[in-house]
Amino acid sequence: FAKIYTPIVVLLAILITVLPYFLVENYIFSQWLYRALVFLVISCPCALVISIPLGYFGGIGAASKNGILFKGSNFLDIIANIQNVVMDKTGTMTEGVFKVQEVILKAEFNKEEILQMVNTLESQSTHPVATAIHNYVGKVDNNIKLENVEEISGHGLKATVNNKELLVGNFKLMDKFNITYDIDPTTIVYTLIAIAYDKKFVGYLTIADSIKEDAQLTIDKLKVLNVSTTMLSGDKSTVVNFVANKLGIANAFGDLLPEDKVNKVKEIKAKNETVAFVGDGVNDAPVVALSDVGIAMGGLGSDATIETADVVIQDDMPSKIPMAINIGKQTKKIVWQNITMAFVVKAIVLILGAGGLATMWEAVFADVGVALLAILNAVRIQRMKF
């Protein structure tokens, strides 16, 4: 801005001093030099230089006061124009605090022994499901020795116990290792954790999660803002659809791997629409990075997702998503108010100054006065209720 603006106004000031010599009778050099100096004072871009960044600082400050951390002022601009909010389910719209509801194991297996092995394996994971199993089973049995522990992204965990293969995860994990089972997982509206041991299907655990208190308010506010909503989750489709229908989320997809989430977001972006993705798990990091604005839940969120995200909601409340959009919109509005005020006042006083109708006092007001007004306007965002 300065590279273009400064040479132009300096050149105009020189012309105001010199040109009248050829065009005006009774030319007085000191009079036209004074007008040129008034013109230069008026044209000083302090109001713009101060008020525009200050508007964004005000927006970032207002957001942080409400528990929303923006990692840059450019994200305030982008989030103000968001057309789609895509969200994860577990830990984002639901509490992420699972509880084991039922344990259904085949009679030929020792229930206590299987649960102890599952608990020991799940202790290798930080997933909320693992915490639920640990809370249900209790203390980890240190006598159980695990070998070749492997986390299979989007599926579950695999390990060797007593030289036999132990699998704990969703039913896609069972399919991946060709484990045959005699139930239809799509008929159960709960999160299911399947267990296989020594190439045999052992049974499953049903785990339930509760919807966050402000989740419904979040979706209602996003609808008022004309923002489309989509839920993407690695959880089974029946659970995802149940939560989506209850909240009124327009589109919902379950049984997704991390790369499937990425592909779904790419599909939305292919329509030239802006996308904000909200997630918390380590599996969400790739899609958070891909979206126009990546939003992470700061309490339950993994370090990788928080690091990748552009916006962090510190208290994990989804209702802060529409609040962040509103703060972005108000910040943008105030910045444009300051730009308009600065340019209009300066343009009027510049014309008056060049014509000799404005003195140095008007010039000072057009510079310092407008800058102060713009600062006060920018500070106003701190007092707004969102």
Side-chain angles (χ1 to χ4, degrees):
F1 178 81
K3 192 176 180 181
I4 299 164
Y5 181 80
T6 307
I8 289 172
V9 294
V10 170
L11 180 63
L12 287 171
I14 292 167
L15 290 174
I16 287 169
T17 309
V18 176
L19 272 181
Y21 176 79
F22 303 101
L23 303 172
V24 178
E25 291 182 19
N26 303 320
Y27 171 78
I28 302 168
F29 175 75
S30 60
Q31 181 187 9
W32 287 99
L33 178 63
Y34 179 80
R35 290 185 185 185
L37 293 173
V38 168
F39 180 88
L40 274 178
V41 171
I42 298 164
S43 65
C44 178
C46 283
L48 286 170
V49 171
I50 293 170
S51 65
I52 295 172
L54 200 67
Y56 286 110
F57 296 157
I60 290 170
S64 62
K65 197 163 74 172
N66 286 286
I68 306 164
L69 173 64
F70 277 87
K71 293 187 182 179
S73 56
N74 53 319
F75 301 118
L76 277 166
D77 260 349
I78 300 168
I79 206 167
N81 299 314
I82 282 295
Q83 297 163 283
N84 296 274
V85 169
V86 181
M87 62 203 77
D88 180 40
K89 180 183 75 69
T90 308
T92 302
M93 301 308 286
T94 63
E95 293 287 354
V97 180
F98 288 91
K99 288 185 180 177
V100 174
Q101 307 295 313
E102 289 181 297
V103 178
I104 313 293
L105 302 182
K106 294 198 171 183
E108 68 234 53
F109 294 96
N110 184 311
K111 182 178 178 180
E112 189 177 335
E113 185 185 343
I114 291 294
L115 286 177
Q116 285 295 346
M117 287 194 292
V118 169
N119 191 29
T120 305
L121 179 56
E122 289 290 351
S123 68
Q124 307 291 312
S125 173
T126 57
H127 195 279
V129 166
T131 306
I133 293 170
H134 177 66
N135 290 339
Y136 180 81
V137 179
K139 191 177 177 183
V140 173
D141 186 349
N142 295 320
N143 295 320
I144 297 171
K145 302 300 178 188
L146 301 176
E147 296 175 348
N148 307 318
V149 177
E150 182 185 347
E151 184 166 355
I152 301 167
S153 183
H155 291 77
L157 296 166
K158 170 181 172 285
T160 304
V161 185
N162 302 326
N163 296 318
K164 294 174 184 176
E165 186 179 75
L166 175 67
L167 300 171
V168 181
N170 54 32
F171 278 85
K172 286 186 288 184
L173 184 67
M174 302 295 110
D175 296 333
K176 186 179 178 72
F177 287 88
N178 299 315
I179 306 293
T180 55
Y181 46 89
D182 52 4
I183 69 157
D184 182 3
T186 61
T187 60
I188 302 169
V189 188
Y190 282 117
T191 298
L192 298 180
I193 302 301
I195 305 163
Y197 183 57
D198 194 20
K199 305 290 183 185
K200 294 173 188 170
F201 179 66
V202 175
Y204 61 90
L205 289 77
T206 62
I207 293 178
D209 188 12
S210 55
I211 296 170
K212 287 184 179 178
E213 284 183 14
D214 61 336
Q216 187 63 66
L217 178 67
T218 302
I219 302 303
D220 293 342
K221 284 188 174 181
L222 288 172
K223 285 178 180 176
V224 171
L225 292 167
N226 291 319
V227 176
S228 298
T229 53
T230 303
M231 182 180 281
L232 305 179
S233 178
D235 209 342
K236 55 184 242 176
S237 294
T238 48
V239 177
V240 176
N241 290 328
F242 174 76
V243 173
N245 291 335
K246 196 166 183 180
L247 294 175
I249 294 170
N251 306 298
F253 303 92
D255 295 310
L256 300 178
L257 298 173
E259 55 266 32
D260 297 326
K261 291 183 180 182
V262 169
N263 291 332
K264 289 289 182 187
V265 170
K266 280 181 178 176
E267 284 175 23
I268 298 170
K269 291 190 77 174
K271 300 173 189 173
N272 291 321
E273 294 183 3
T274 51
V275 181
F277 183 86
V278 193
D280 66 308
V282 67
N283 290 340
D284 295 326
V287 72
V288 163
L290 172 71
S291 55
D292 295 295
V293 178
I295 304 174
M297 292 295 175
L300 287 172
S302 71
D303 290 345
T305 306
I306 292 168
E307 184 69 29
T308 309
D310 309 308
V311 180
V312 179
I313 295 172
Q314 294 167 309
D315 54 11
D316 290 348
M317 292 175 66
S319 56
K320 298 294 174 72
I321 302 164
M323 184 186 287
I325 295 171
N326 274 322
I327 290 171
K329 287 181 182 293
Q330 288 300 326
T331 302
K332 198 170 182 181
K333 188 175 172 183
I334 281 174
V335 166
W336 277 107
Q337 284 173 358
N338 285 347
I339 290 170
T340 305
M341 178 171 65
F343 271 119
V344 168
V345 172
K346 281 184 180 293
I348 292 168
V349 183
L350 276 171
I351 293 164
L352 294 173
L357 300 172
T359 65
M360 194 60 79
W361 285 108
E362 283 84 358
V364 169
F365 171 76
D367 180 30
V368 181
V370 172
L372 287 171
L373 288 174
I375 289 165
L376 291 171
N377 191 38
V379 170
R380 193 165 56 90
I381 196 170
Q382 297 278 351
R383 299 179 180 276
M384 290 181 179
K385 299 287 183 186
F386 297 101

